[in-house]
Amino acid sequence: MWSRPVPDLAALDPSATLLVFGGAVLLIALLGARMANLADVIADRTGLGEALVGAVLLGAGTSIAGIVTSVSTASTGHPALSVSNAIGGIAAQTAFLAIADIFYRRVNLEHAAASAVNLTQATVLIGMMAVPLIAWAGPDYSLFGVHPATPILVGVYLIGLHNAHRQHERPMWQPLRTDQTRKDEPDDTSQYGSSWRVGGQFAALVIAVGLCGYVVGETGIAIAGDYGISESVVGGLLTAVATSLPELVTTIAAVRVGAPQLAIGGIIGGNMFDALFITASDVAYRNGSIYHAISEREIFWYGLTIVMTAVLLTGMLRRERQGPAGIGWESTLLLGLYTGGAALQISMG
């Protein structure tokens, strides 16, 4: 049976590689905007709430490009690019909240989006980020090529989702409501058609974004080789930001339609899902434990994202109304931490 061969993206000349990479990045951004609108509709129709739908559906959907990139690069023997893509994406997406805060002019985003679900998931995310650090510092052991930290990390994620759902259904803690606290109330979504149609459109977008993620991963490997850039820098900054563009687009789109809980929930939930990339990459990487195939560069990104998540969590608890340049001190600090970390990685070559 005749079949069309899959193009070898790594065999393209450098200029064509950059062009293909840029096209995939642009498509990821455009598809991400549509995903945010559909996720808000699904949140209203299911009654699950913006924070929970943002964390699970939007977070996982917009992360599909990143997980395809990490798994494909790990399976071809590029652990540094695989892991730095995942963890660099978490750092970039957390910094995106500060950018979204600029677009939400009424009050600081952390104040408007106060939610027990978001607080719960930010706390779980910090725990998830610590597991790979423990695995990296521990014995180099694997069973059938999979490190014990991999199923543990999946378990932590599932427990976190369960606790977040309980917080939504039977909250034991509620934020103090102010005149600027945005209440999560369903909107009229009849213009979007049936729920089956909405779900089908969302699924189609997820598949398309996933295919773009594969292209980004393959061209990222080629760019590292063509221009002599370390895979840690390419993964942590180039492919990580590229595959995280849906989160940036959907976060800005969410705040512009007045859904701040969806914005923060999508970022935190996406970060939780991104923290699982290393588990899929560990399975795909066949040369032993991927936790012990990474370097101090990737560990640096893990430490930085833990600090950035702690800053975000503090911002949601502190709930400052206004800060410098119309954004909160926490958002200012997030941008400073990310740009400083990126500059340090680039300076290391």
Side-chain angles (χ1 to χ4, degrees), residues 69-87:
T69 299
S70 287
V71 170
S72 64
T73 51
S75 66
T76 53
H78 299 273
L81 196 154
S82 173
V83 176
S84 59
N85 171 74
I87 198 66

Side-chain angles (χ1 to χ4, degrees), residues 36-343:
N37 291 333
L38 294 177
D40 195 20
V41 173
I42 293 171
D44 291 338
R45 292 190 177 183
T46 60
L48 293 175
E50 291 174 357
L52 194 58
V53 168
V56 180
L57 189 64
L58 185 60
T62 54
S63 296
I64 192 67
I67 194 169
V68 171
T69 299
S70 287
V71 170
S72 64
T73 51
S75 66
T76 53
H78 299 273
L81 196 154
S82 173
V83 176
S84 59
N85 171 74
I87 198 66
I90 297 177
Q93 288 156 200
T94 307
F96 288 166
L97 280 176
I99 299 175
D101 202 0
I102 298 173
F103 287 85
Y104 198 75
R105 304 311 304 157
R106 287 178 289 181
V107 72
N108 289 341
L109 191 59
E110 297 94 340
H111 180 96
S115 163
V117 173
N118 286 336
L119 290 173
T120 300
Q121 296 202 117
T123 306
V124 173
L125 176 59
I126 292 175
M128 292 182 68
M129 300 298 296
V131 172
L133 295 180
I134 297 172
W136 176 77
D140 186 356
Y141 172 80
S142 355
L143 182 62
F144 302 111
V146 177
H147 193 278
T150 290
I152 291 174
L153 198 53
V154 174
V156 173
Y157 175 75
L158 294 176
I159 292 171
L161 288 184
H162 173 71
N163 288 336
H165 181 68
R166 288 190 61 184
Q167 286 284 358
H168 175 73
E169 294 294 326
R170 298 184 297 276
M172 298 297 292
W173 176 92
Q174 290 283 4
L176 177 67
R177 303 201 63 82
T178 70
D179 57 340
Q180 292 295 340
T181 303
R182 198 276 188 182
K183 187 177 180 181
D184 182 4
E185 294 179 337
D187 300 316
D188 181 16
T189 61
S190 57
Q191 71 272 22
Y192 289 92
S194 68
S195 296
W196 283 106
R197 180 181 179 183
V198 172
Q201 289 178 354
F202 191 90
L205 290 173
V206 169
I207 294 173
V209 169
L211 292 174
C212 291
Y214 171 77
V215 174
V216 166
E218 293 299 299
T219 52
I221 294 173
I223 290 171
D226 291 340
Y227 296 93
I229 308 173
S230 75
E231 291 187 358
S232 294
V233 173
V234 171
L237 296 175
L238 190 62
T239 66
V241 173
T243 56
S244 297
L245 282 179
E247 280 83 356
L248 175 61
V249 174
T250 55
T251 300
I252 294 176
V255 298
R256 289 177 71 88
V257 299
Q261 290 189 16
L262 181 66
I264 289 186
I267 289 293
I268 299 176
N271 286 352
M272 289 178 62
F273 197 79
D274 286 8
L276 288 179
F277 287 6
I278 195 171
T279 65
S281 298
D282 187 37
V283 174
Y285 185 68
R286 294 289 82 198
N287 297 326
S289 163
I290 201 170
Y291 301 93
H292 293 88
I294 58 178
S295 67
E296 288 81 2
R297 286 175 176 268
E298 289 73 56
I299 298 304
F300 170 84
W301 280 115
Y302 269 104
L304 179 64
T305 52
I306 288 175
V307 173
M308 292 180 70
T309 305
V311 170
L312 174 60
L313 181 59
T314 302
M316 289 189 290
L317 288 170
R318 185 165 173 253
R319 300 185 66 197
E320 181 185 44
R321 283 178 175 266
Q322 295 290 341
I327 62 176
W329 281 104
E330 290 78 14
S331 293
T332 305
L333 187 55
L334 286 177
L335 288 175
L337 285 169
Y338 181 74
T339 54

Side-chain angles (χ1 to χ4, degrees), residues 20-46:
V20 173
F21 179 86
V25 170
L26 178 61
L27 190 56
I28 286 173
L30 294 175
L31 296 177
R34 179 62 177 168
M35 292 177 75
N37 291 333
L38 294 177
D40 195 20
V41 173
I42 293 171
D44 291 338
R45 292 190 177 183
T46 60

